[in-house]
Amino acid sequence: MNLIRRLVTIGALLLLPLSRVQAQIVERPVPFDSSGLVTVMTPFLADRASLRPPWWPVSGEFTEARLFTTNDSTYVLSVTRRTGVVERYALSANDRDAIRAVISRLPRETIVARTDARNAFIRGQTFLGLLVYGPAFAGAIGDNSGSASAGYLVVAGGTFFAASEISRRMFISRPQADLSTNMGLNGALAGWATTYLFNVGDRGQYAGAFIGGLAGATLGVRAARNMSEADAVAAGFGSDIGALIAFGTMEALRGSSDCTFDPVTFIESCTTRRLSNRSEVAVVLASGLIGYPIGLLYPRNAMYNVTAGDVQTLGTTAALGAGGGIALLNRHASYSHFATAATVGGVLGMMAGDRFLVQRYDHDRDEADRLSLGTAAGTLIGAGIAALGKSSRNNPHVIGGLAVGGGLAGLIVTERYLRPRPDAGRPRLRVTFNPASVALMAARAPGNHSLLNVRF
């Protein structure tokens, strides 16, 4: 009997792990779309796909969602909240098919995850730490060179680790990386401008720049959660170009201060500028803030498709237009004339870029970068040709004209070389007039002769 009991006990102990193995539930991750590209659902994709109940049970803010299956007929949706809580929802096969159908209809550039978004976020914040956060913090706390240097080194180096930890704890999309970098820089400038307007001391201005930079980067991450790349880049570009236009306009209105010296009385008299420095800072600050919503409206309300690369090309054409405006001036032109020519030329260049580049083609970001490099290379070639002639070295019209002409030629050649995709926006109404049909109809030539062609 003792032997039998021992055998039964040994058998039960051997069968116990097998029963536990059979009781395990193995979940296999599955993609949300039919092509297998979307394995992680982000708030941006959920908003773009307009996911809603009853087949999408998630409500409120979340960080990411993943889909799992046990037997290809029962699905589990795992949702991670911003607080770290993980919620699990049971989905039927019909719910999963409905979600897959909606996600699969999204454009490829929307659903493809940008693997460089996290690196772009860390790189942008590290850049701000070296050039913005670090110097601002050092100026705010530095009573002497030792404490200022220590503060700069700690903040500049700590920004990298802080950004790395933030990107590890939460999903960072490319729009968030772009807008947080832009708003971090502009937020620091806005913080300095605000403290300057309230006549705060130097250390207070440094503190305002530091706090404004951190606040701007944080706001950029939160504001870009439901933006596309074009939205984020256009919002930042709107703020930058708005501040530059305001600066150029104010500089043109303020004029310059001239000083004259009387050799008889030994008295120097100077004329002050028409507007104060604080008025200029206030206008530039307001224009930069207003530029964010105005820039965001550009890709969302245009009658044609606007990509992030398209917005970047506008910066290239605006710079080329500003250079062209300055090239028209002679060497004796006043400072206000330079500001006026640069501002008007930049606006016209931006409008030309929208008309001939953005409305006709869809540029990706790599193409926009190469277009900028091609324009810069053409500008250098044009300036080099101008430097060859002895008579042109002292003539700013020739030097500026050849430099701008070379830049324009470089832009056109690069655009031809790239061959970007045609614009994928909504078709526009086009009406063309054929004057040759008037002569054919007057001559009563046989056949159909169209005088007006309407295409839409």
Side-chain angles (χ1 to χ4, degrees), residues 330-346:
N330 56 40
R331 67 177 66 182
H332 302 293
S334 64
Y335 180 75
S336 60
H337 291 162
F338 276 95
T340 303
T343 303
V344 174

Side-chain angles (χ1 to χ4, degrees), residues 284-360:
V284 173
L285 175 61
S287 300
L289 295 176
I290 296 174
Y292 279 111
I294 294 178
L296 183 61
L297 294 175
Y298 174 53
R300 292 187 175 183
N301 295 274
M303 295 296 294
Y304 41 89
N305 188 44
V306 178
T307 64
D310 289 338
V311 179
Q312 289 183 229
T313 61
L314 296 181
T316 302
T317 58
L320 195 61
I326 295 175
L328 297 176
L329 301 176
N330 56 40
R331 67 177 66 182
H332 302 293
S334 64
Y335 180 75
S336 60
H337 291 162
F338 276 95
T340 303
T343 303
V344 174
V347 172
L348 293 178
M350 184 173 56
M351 295 173 61
D354 176 79
R355 175 63 181 84
F356 296 104
L357 296 179
V358 178
Q359 295 186 23
R360 295 186 178 184

Side-chain angles (χ1 to χ4, degrees), residues 147-210:
S147 60
S149 300
Y152 171 80
L153 295 175
V154 169
V155 173
T159 303
F160 168 79
F161 295 100
S164 300
E165 181 64 17
I166 291 174
S167 63
R168 187 186 69 85
R169 288 179 174 270
M170 62 180 296
F171 176 80
I172 298 294
S173 63
R174 188 56 191 266
Q176 289 176 308
D178 293 331
L179 195 59
S180 62
T181 303
N182 178 273
M183 295 191 70
L185 176 59
N186 290 347
L189 295 175
W192 167 82
T194 303
T195 53
Y196 175 78
L197 292 176
F198 285 96
N199 201 20
V200 181
D202 292 340
R203 295 183 62 178
Q205 293 178 18
Y206 280 115
F210 178 71

Side-chain angles (χ1 to χ4, degrees), residues 47-48 223 226-228 231 295-302 306 426:
D47 178 72
R48 281 288 180 264
N226 296 323
M227 289 186 183
S228 64
D231 294 340
L296 183 61
L297 294 175
Y298 174 53
R300 292 187 175 183
N301 295 274
V306 178
R426 289 173 288 181

Side-chain angles (χ1 to χ4, degrees), residues 45 75 215 238 279 363 437-438:
L45 288 179
Y75 298 90
S279 62
H363 302 82
S437 299
V438 178

Side-chain angles (χ1 to χ4, degrees), residues 163-446:
S164 300
E165 181 64 17
I166 291 174
S167 63
R168 187 186 69 85
R169 288 179 174 270
M170 62 180 296
F171 176 80
I172 298 294
S173 63
R174 188 56 191 266
Q176 289 176 308
D178 293 331
L179 195 59
S180 62
T181 303
N182 178 273
M183 295 191 70
L185 176 59
N186 290 347
L189 295 175
W192 167 82
T194 303
T195 53
Y196 175 78
L197 292 176
F198 285 96
N199 201 20
V200 181
D202 292 340
R203 295 183 62 178
Q205 293 178 18
Y206 280 115
F210 178 71
I211 297 174
L214 295 181
T218 304
L219 183 60
V221 171
R222 294 183 62 86
R225 286 179 300 176
N226 296 323
M227 289 186 183
S228 64
E229 284 191 50
D231 294 340
V233 175
F237 179 78
S239 176
D240 296 340
I241 201 68
L244 289 175
I245 292 175
F247 175 75
T249 303
M250 292 298 293
E251 287 295 313
L253 294 176
R254 293 183 67 188
S256 58
S257 59
D258 298 325
C259 297
T260 58
F261 178 75
D262 190 351
V264 178
T265 60
F266 297 97
I267 298 176
E268 184 181 24
S269 58
C270 298
T271 59
T272 59
R273 307 183 74 179
R274 287 187 287 269
L275 298 174
S276 64
N277 292 333
R278 280 186 169 78
S279 62
E280 181 174 0
V281 171
V283 172
V284 173
L285 175 61
S287 300
L289 295 176
I290 296 174
Y292 279 111
I294 294 178
L296 183 61
L297 294 175
Y298 174 53
R300 292 187 175 183
N301 295 274
M303 295 296 294
Y304 41 89
N305 188 44
V306 178
T307 64
D310 289 338
V311 179
Q312 289 183 229
T313 61
L314 296 181
T316 302
T317 58
L320 195 61
I326 295 175
L328 297 176
L329 301 176
N330 56 40
R331 67 177 66 182
H332 302 293
S334 64
Y335 180 75
S336 60
H337 291 162
F338 276 95
T340 303
T343 303
V344 174
V347 172
L348 293 178
M350 184 173 56
M351 295 173 61
D354 176 79
R355 175 63 181 84
F356 296 104
L357 296 179
V358 178
Q359 295 186 23
R360 295 186 178 184
Y361 306 103
D362 284 339
H363 302 82
D364 58 34
R365 304 185 75 163
D366 292 335
E367 291 172 342
D369 292 338
R370 293 169 65 182
L371 196 66
S372 300
L373 292 176
T375 304
T379 302
L380 294 177
I381 294 175
I385 294 175
L388 292 176
K390 295 182 180 180
S391 60
S392 63
R393 295 176 185 174
N394 297 323
N395 192 337
H397 292 291
V398 176
I399 298 176
L402 287 177
V404 174
L408 181 60
L411 185 146
I412 295 174
V413 171
T414 307
E415 182 76 359
R416 295 282 186 180
Y417 174 77
L418 292 175
R419 296 182 180 272
R421 301 185 309 272
D423 184 76
R426 289 173 288 181
R428 291 168 291 162
L429 180 65
R430 295 183 179 180
V431 180
T432 58
F433 175 69
N434 187 12
S437 299
V438 178
L440 294 176
M441 289 187 294
R444 296 184 179 181

